[in-house]
Amino acid sequence: MVTKEEDDEIRSEAAVVVLGDVGRSPRMCNHAKMLADGGFDVKIIGFYDSIPGEQITNHPRIKIVGIPAPPDFMDSLPAIVQLPLKLIWNFVTLLLAMAFRTSAFNLRVILMQNPPGLPTAIVCFLISLIKCSKFTIDWHNYMYSILQNKYNIADGDTSPKGKIVKGVSILEGICGKLSDYNLCVTDAMRRDLMKRWGVRANTFYDRPPTWKFRPTSLLEIHDLYSKLGEVPKANETILTRKSIDGSLTLLPDRPLVLLSSTSWTPDERFEILLDALVDYEEAAKNDKELPKILLIITGKGPLKAKYLENIQKKDLKNVKILTPWLEADDYPKILASADLGISLHTSTSGLDLPMKVVDMFGAKIPALALKFKCIDELVGDRVNGYLFEDSNQLSRQIVELSRGFPNRCEDLIRLKSNTREMKFESWETMWKRSAAPAANLTPPDNGFAKLRAIIQLSFLVIMILIPIHLAMGTFSGLFSPKP
């Protein structure tokens, strides 16, 4: 039975706004779960293109409110037409969802992901005023830097596109000042927000949630690879063997498993990995100490077909590449089966960190990461991974770490040990210590909730009654001169 106090708490609502694919926004889904576990009813508002994990879809306090993405035909329009049309489309659809699909009197928190800052922040700010909610921006990157990268626009560009991007940058900074609170993903971004726009933010690092990453058994790995069709023999997968008594062992001649999760976009320079694998192929022909490689690439994006075509042309004999479609709950399992993770993320702003590397550390596997401005806030070179700058360096690192695999690869064994022993706080711990107090992400007490609802209702009644009385002439006598 729900008590009166519990009922009041249930009615406290939070809106988590993602103007993107909800299923591919793990940080915002993690926010939603923590808010729901903390006593809020949560509405996740965004594009429902892919399904998040069961922790979100089966949570009794979380509801996903899908909004329609801009029509595909807009992508074929010139940028100077396309951008305003998409802004208008997103403004209208998001405003309608925020106005009518969230509580009128009990919406306490609006937490939005940036990018995109426009029109998301404007809509969230307006709704926060109307519904008296606290508005928080979680800065993952900058919208203007993504547009710069997409349209190949340099700083100071005075072309029409350049002026649009400059305008977006100015508005993005203004929106940051409209919010009540700001979170960001790195210390470098926190300093840049203050220097660039005068926006004060608190750093909240991504961390692996305990509900997503846990020790994975050989049976789970065996079953997963069987489902993927990697079964060369009966009772065997490419990695494991099941004996007559049902026990499982890793094959001594199994391939080294590399895993890269990519969005197949221009800011992830996938050709670096392809070139490195070609170099590895040549090295493996002349070095019997080098194992075969199984490269698993997860994710989807606009350049996937192009790169898959390039992969087929390479005709690799010592490297096998899989691009499986995975359910959300299978992703942690396949990560745990890998020996090394590879990140090709570069960041358009140079100020955010790859969530995929956080996932790798959550699964306790070391990472090889492309070097950029603030990656050292996450990856310690030769501690829990290696940093590389080009395909030659990546190829040398793969050769160095894989030689003698699986039992005589001392450098890889050392990296794995360091990663397992790494003091990496969980998402829950970091959220309760950093995000919740910094952005006041806790349900209000019952007295405040009732007082706020009374004030809102009174304000709305006054706003409705005044025009009616003005039309009826009720107040006309008050301003007429006395005879």
Side-chain angles (χ1 to χ4, degrees):
M1 181 177 177
V2 179
T3 66
K4 184 178 182 300
E5 181 178 349
E6 288 172 334
D7 184 62
D8 281 337
E9 186 177 73
I10 287 171
R11 290 174 54 205
S12 297
E13 188 174 279
V16 176
V17 183
V18 184
L19 203 59
D21 185 2
V22 171
R24 296 169 67 190
S25 304
R27 180 176 167 101
M28 301 310 289
C29 287
N30 292 346
H31 277 308
K33 185 177 186 305
M34 292 303 297
L35 287 165
D37 289 346
F40 284 98
D41 278 349
V42 179
K43 301 279 180 65
I44 305 178
I45 301 171
F47 305 147
Y48 202 1
D49 298 330
S50 54
I51 301 173
E54 292 181 359
Q55 294 286 346
I56 301 299
T57 55
N58 292 343
H59 200 295
R61 287 178 178 263
I62 297 177
K63 181 179 180 181
I64 298 175
V65 177
I67 58 176
D72 292 339
F73 79 85
M74 290 188 184
D75 292 331
S76 61
L77 299 174
I80 199 165
V81 177
Q82 178 189 141
L83 290 176
L85 282 180
K86 284 187 175 182
L87 283 173
I88 293 169
W89 177 278
N90 288 331
F91 180 88
V92 172
T93 55
L94 182 59
L95 182 65
L96 291 174
M98 294 285 289
F100 299 110
R101 301 293 297 276
T102 61
S103 174
F105 298 113
N106 298 300
L107 182 64
R108 307 287 180 254
V109 169
I110 298 173
L111 176 59
M112 66 152 271
Q113 171 184 294
N114 184 68
L118 301 174
T120 324
I122 296 173
V123 173
C124 290
F125 174 67
L126 291 174
I127 295 297
S128 73
L129 290 180
I130 295 169
K131 299 191 177 185
C132 299
S133 308
K134 291 297 182 182
F135 170 34
T136 300
I137 298 177
D138 190 13
W139 297 78
H140 299 190
N141 201 348
Y142 297 153
M143 181 177 179
Y144 88 88
S145 71
I146 292 175
L147 293 175
Q148 273 187 326
N149 182 73
K150 180 177 180 180
Y151 297 111
N152 196 26
I153 296 170
D155 289 332
D157 191 323
T158 58
S159 67
K161 289 182 185 178
K163 291 178 180 178
I164 289 175
V165 171
K166 180 64 176 177
V168 168
S169 175
I170 293 171
L171 288 172
E172 198 168 11
I174 292 172
C175 290
K177 293 180 180 180
L178 292 177
S179 62
D180 297 294
Y181 307 103
N182 290 276
L183 301 172
C184 61
V185 294
T186 64
D187 270 338
M189 181 175 284
R190 176 182 59 79
R191 292 189 295 268
D192 189 76
L193 281 166
M194 174 54 69
K195 181 180 178 181
R196 186 181 298 274
W197 293 309
V199 172
R200 294 185 180 276
N202 287 277
T203 304
F204 172 46
Y205 287 115
D206 277 315
R207 289 296 182 260
T210 56
W211 67 78
K212 183 175 180 181
F213 294 99
R214 56 176 178 76
T216 303
S217 67
L218 272 183
L219 178 60
E220 289 176 301
I221 293 173
H222 182 86
D223 290 344
L224 177 58
Y225 278 80
S226 296
K227 186 166 71 172
L228 295 176
E230 294 303 308
V231 186
K233 299 179 184 178
N235 297 320
E236 275 191 16
T237 69
I238 198 169
L239 301 181
T240 55
R241 176 187 293 124
K242 180 181 282 188
S243 61
I244 297 175
D245 62 3
S247 61
L248 286 162
T249 55
L250 289 169
L251 295 173
D253 59 346
R254 66 186 181 276
L256 176 83
V257 180
L258 302 179
L259 188 137
S260 181
S261 178
T262 178
S263 54
W264 304 96
T265 53
D267 68 334
E268 296 195 355
R269 296 162 56 193
F270 198 76
E271 68 277 359
I272 290 178
L273 179 54
L274 286 185
D275 292 342
L277 292 175
V278 171
D279 291 343
Y280 182 88
E281 175 80 12
E282 291 301 313
K285 290 178 181 178
N286 304 311
D287 189 341
K288 300 303 180 185
E289 286 287 293
L290 296 179
K292 290 186 179 298
I293 284 179
L294 173 63
L295 171 62
I296 300 170
I297 308 170
T298 66
K300 62 179 181 179
L303 300 180
K304 183 174 182 178
K306 171 190 169 183
Y307 279 119
L308 290 182
E309 184 179 348
N310 290 342
I311 288 169
Q312 291 177 348
K313 292 177 181 178
K314 301 296 182 184
D315 192 29
L316 303 173
K317 304 297 184 186
N318 291 291
V319 179
K320 181 174 183 178
I321 299 177
L322 292 180
T323 57
W325 181 89
L326 295 170
E327 296 177 3
D329 294 322
D330 284 336
Y331 178 60
K333 298 175 188 176
I334 206 160
L335 261 180
S337 75
D339 299 292
L340 273 172
I342 297 179
S343 171
L344 303 167
H345 178 86
T346 56
S347 171
T348 56
S349 66
L351 298 171
D352 66 305
L353 293 173
M355 186 72 179
K356 55 183 68 70
V357 174
V358 176
D359 291 343
M360 292 165 190
F361 291 160
K364 302 298 182 184
I365 64 169
L368 307 180
L370 186 59
K371 190 173 183 178
F372 66 95
K373 187 174 180 179
C374 62
I375 189 64
D376 57 357
E377 290 190 36
L378 182 61
V379 180
D381 195 19
R382 296 186 176 270
V383 178
N384 53 10
Y386 283 5
L387 301 178
F388 61 90
E389 296 181 348
D390 53 38
S391 60
N392 291 331
Q393 196 172 7
L394 175 59
S395 176
R396 289 195 299 271
Q397 290 173 357
I398 296 174
V399 168
E400 175 186 334
L401 292 170
S402 63
R403 183 174 282 114
F405 181 83
N407 299 318
R408 290 178 288 105
C409 46
E410 295 180 2
D411 288 333
L412 178 57
I413 291 170
R414 175 182 57 81
L415 281 185
K416 285 185 173 183
S417 176
N418 289 346
T419 307
R420 283 194 297 269
E421 295 171 4
M422 186 171 54
K423 302 298 181 183
F424 210 52
E425 292 181 308
S426 69
W427 171 275
E428 299 95 316
T429 301
M430 286 287 290
W431 196 88
K432 290 174 182 176
R433 191 182 71 220
S434 300
N440 196 26
L441 301 177
T442 53
D445 62 83
N446 298 333
F448 176 79
K450 292 176 182 176
L451 176 62
R452 181 162 139 153
I454 291 170
I455 293 171
Q456 284 180 281
L457 181 60
S458 301
F459 177 78
L460 288 174
V461 169
I462 291 170
M463 289 297 99
I464 292 170
L465 290 179
I466 286 178
I468 293 174
H469 282 285
L470 286 173
M472 294 173 61
T474 304
F475 304 118
S476 59
L478 295 176
F479 305 103
S480 300
K482 293 182 179 180

